[in-house]
Amino acid sequence: MILEPLTAVDGALPGHLLTEVTALYAANREFSALSGDFPDPDGIRVEQVTKALADGLAHPDAKVLLARSEGRLAGVVITLARRPDPADPDPWIGLLIVAAELHRTGVGRELVRLVEDRLRAAGHAAVRLAVLENNPAALRFWTALGYLVIGHREDRAPHRPCAVLRKPL
């Protein structure tokens, strides 16, 4: 599996990539329904995904990484080099989404390992993330990978209850 950054070309995100990423989001209907990020989890459109990705890329410390395996899109990860809170020195994994047909095959674990390796190589000592409280499957996934719950709070914009997890690298 390889990770490649998603970058704008002449100020726009490439259409063929947006189509692939939209299909990945649409196939993960359960996550979209839990998160509430899209008004209709059964009708996710390219325009909505374009906006979500552009919003993510607007943050100066954000990276959108596309995971490819055997030439196809296997997942998307959004990382933040740091949060605005000066008391929080750790980078964050803001989103991890794996192609639905690859769930429970080890692809998610591999993708997390690659992201952790990148962060470790950049000199980071730990990584954090937040899991929606209404997503126990995600909490089980992350804790199985060694992430520990260090607190609970609402996420920034939609104010949804989340568990905050951290893992030393």
Side-chain angles (χ1 to χ4, degrees), residues 86-123:
D88 179 0
D90 298 327
W92 281 66
I93 297 173
L95 174 74
L96 171 81
I97 190 164
V98 174
E101 70 273 10
L102 298 174
H103 288 186
R104 306 197 59 78
T105 65
V107 168
R109 283 180 178 275
E110 175 69 7
L111 185 48
V112 170
R113 185 190 62 75
L114 290 171
V115 170
E116 290 172 350
D117 289 349
R118 287 175 72 104
L119 294 172
R120 192 178 299 107

Side-chain angles (χ1 to χ4, degrees), residues 11 17 19 21 23 25 28 36 39 42 44 53 57 65-67 80 92 111 114 117 123-124 144 150 166:
L17 289 177
T19 300
V21 174
Y25 273 79
N28 279 278
D42 294 315
I44 296 173
L53 292 174
L57 287 169
L65 303 169
L66 303 179
L80 295 165
W92 281 66
L111 185 48
L114 290 171
D117 289 349
H124 296 289
I150 61 168
R166 183 175 191 266

